[in-house]
């Protein structure tokens, strides 16, 4: 049976269907699931770039039906963060999603996700969510509470077989994997590699904030991480962190954090042993808060 027909008989294949209501999405997916087709979900905040597209392509290659969500989730933004100015371009996102062969774009309004009286959240506690970006002096654990709550809701609405995330947000991946494990959510979580610009800058919707004059500074984050990996391999993890710190200092970038941690439970790591080590970095460059990381395999 043609999956496009299952979703909407009036809808030609190759076109993408835009859905804004949760119940309509459920109704569209029910026959797909009954047919035994696999469903892939790519949660995003929109303003799609090649990083997002790599997730869409992976989903397209592996799943019978692909859903991408576009939702700038207010609960993961703290007071004074960039919720109001976060870049949005739904029309362009729809074109890109169609080109990538997405079947359904789910773009709900905030009231659909958080109706009046909304009072429940999903929180991965301690360790994973109160360090790095979740450190109370930075974005705080409320950021990840917002992420896991909205992702849990998307999982409940879509019921995906596979959900695709970017390794760029390594801490988010760790929190979501832990939530899926702890709450027995029947979904496979795939984390895909960071997609970068030619100069190494990790793609991010927030790169739209970057003035061309600070691009060189922004590129120092990925350079620092590359040097960190090299120096770790030839010397030690502390050599690696020192090399990264030097590179950032040369570029005039003050890291918010630069730390070596276990990629799964985010405990601090002092040396490269028999497990991969995550070196994670956040810094504000020209008014944009950027994050990047490298995963060093043993
Ligand atoms: P966002 O729209 O920023 O919430 O990102 C949606 C998904 O795309 C998340 O799973 C991100 O980790 C992933 N993503 C964002 N930037 C990149 C990138 N440069 N490479 C790979 N995945 C990315």
């Amino acid at each position: 049976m043609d999956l496009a027909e299952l979703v909407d008989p009036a809808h030609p294949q190759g076109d993408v269907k835009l859905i804004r209501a949760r119940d309509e999405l459920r109704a569209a997916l029910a026959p797909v699931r009954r047919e035994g087709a696999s469903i892939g979900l790519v949660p995003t905040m929109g303003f799609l770039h090649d990083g997002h597209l790599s997730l869409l392509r992976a989903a397209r290659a592996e799943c019978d039906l692909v859903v991408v969500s576009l939702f700038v989730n207010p609960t993961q933004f703290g007071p004074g963060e960039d919720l109001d100015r976060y870049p949005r371009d739904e029309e362009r996102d729809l074109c890109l999603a169609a080109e990538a062969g997405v079947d359904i774009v789910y773009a709900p309004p905030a009231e659909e996700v958080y109706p009046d009286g909304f009072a429940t959240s999903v929180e991965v506690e301690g360790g994973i969510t109160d360090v790095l970006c979740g450190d109370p002096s930075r974005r705080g654990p409320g950021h990840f509470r917002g992420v896991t709550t909205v992702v849990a809701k998307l999982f409940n609405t879509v019921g995906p077989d596979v959900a695709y995330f970017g390794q760029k947000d390594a801490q988010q991946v760790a929190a979501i994997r832990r939530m899926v494990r702890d709450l027995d959510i029947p979904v496979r979580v795939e984390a895909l590699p960071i997609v970068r610009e030619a100069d190494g800058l990790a793609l991010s919707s927030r790169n739209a904030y970057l003035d061309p004059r600070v691009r060189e500074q922004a590129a120092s984050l990925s350079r620092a991480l590359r040097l960190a990996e090299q120096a770790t391999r030839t010397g030690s993890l502390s050599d690696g962190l020192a090399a990264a710190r030097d590179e950032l200092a040369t570029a005039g970038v003050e890291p918010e954090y630069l730390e070596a941690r276990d990629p799964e439970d985010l405990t601090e790591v002092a040396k490269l042993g028999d497990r991969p080590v995550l070196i994670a970095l956040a810094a504000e460059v020209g008014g944009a808060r950027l994050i990047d990381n490298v995963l060093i395999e043993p």
Side-chain angles (χ1 to χ4, degrees):
M1 189 168 192
D2 185 347
L3 278 173
E5 281 171 34
L6 276 173
V7 173
D8 179 355
H11 211 69
Q13 197 168 22
D15 255 3
V16 64
K17 186 172 163 63
L18 172 63
I19 296 183
R20 299 204 186 273
R22 185 200 51 197
D23 291 346
E24 191 191 336
L25 179 59
R26 282 224 172 97
L29 293 174
V32 175
R33 197 167 301 105
R34 267 199 305 276
E35 281 287 311
S38 61
I39 299 174
L41 170 68
V42 182
T44 81
M45 297 207 297
F47 209 67
L48 301 182
H49 52 63
D50 279 343
H52 299 117
L53 297 186
S54 73
L55 307 182
L56 297 183
R57 284 191 211 106
R60 182 67 288 163
E62 292 171 3
C63 302
D64 297 318
L65 186 124
V66 177
V67 181
V68 58
S69 59
L70 309 176
F71 182 60
V72 181
N73 176 32
T75 62
Q76 70 189 71
F77 288 77
E81 287 190 19
D82 57 347
L83 174 61
D84 292 336
R85 67 174 187 132
Y86 195 83
R88 294 161 169 91
D89 190 343
E90 190 181 274
E91 224 167 283
R92 184 171 163 276
D93 288 347
L94 283 170
C95 290
L96 290 170
E99 274 171 33
V102 166
D103 299 292
I104 296 177
V105 170
Y106 178 49
E111 317 83 76
E112 183 73 9
V113 181
Y114 299 111
D116 275 350
F118 186 90
T120 307
S121 53
V122 177
E123 181 163 10
V124 174
E125 287 175 2
I128 287 181
T129 55
D130 59 13
V131 299
L132 303 179
C133 289
D135 186 306
S137 69
R138 297 171 190 143
R139 300 193 80 177
H143 164 66
F144 290 106
R145 190 188 315 124
V147 169
T148 43
T149 300
V150 82
V151 171
K153 283 173 68 76
L154 286 168
F155 285 173
N156 281 336
T157 303
V158 175
D161 297 277
V162 194
Y164 296 84
F165 296 89
Q167 185 58 33
K168 159 133 188 300
D169 296 270
Q171 189 170 9
Q172 174 172 292
V173 168
I176 288 164
R177 284 196 196 284
R178 182 60 62 94
M179 171 184 80
V180 162
R181 193 196 75 175
D182 289 354
L183 298 184
D184 308 315
I185 303 177
V187 62
R188 176 158 64 85
V189 172
E190 282 289 334
L192 298 187
I194 303 176
V195 177
R196 299 176 180 283
E197 301 275 10
D199 65 2
L201 176 65
L203 292 183
S204 163
S205 305
R206 288 192 170 91
N207 292 355
Y209 303 148
L210 292 173
D211 189 285
R213 282 170 300 189
V214 296
R215 266 306 293 264
E216 170 54 24
Q217 257 191 326
S220 71
L221 272 68
S222 64
R223 272 204 311 275
L225 291 168
R226 236 179 11 250
L227 291 171
E229 175 164 18
Q230 280 165 16
T232 299
R233 293 204 180 281
T234 53
S236 66
L237 196 49
S238 51
D239 293 340
L241 291 171
R245 216 166 277 121
D246 285 353
E247 182 63 26
L248 293 171
T250 306
V253 172
E254 174 70 37
E256 195 182 279
Y257 62 74
L258 169 65
E259 294 182 30
R261 294 200 170 251
D262 182 281
E264 206 174 291
D265 61 18
L266 295 179
T267 50
E268 277 181 281
V269 178
K271 59 181 198 298
L272 185 60
D274 53 5
R275 284 193 38 78
V277 174
L278 175 78
I279 300 187
L281 165 59
E284 193 172 307
V285 175
R289 185 178 183 279
L290 304 177
I291 58 169
D292 200 348
N293 67 76
V294 64
L295 198 57
I296 306 179
E297 298 290 340

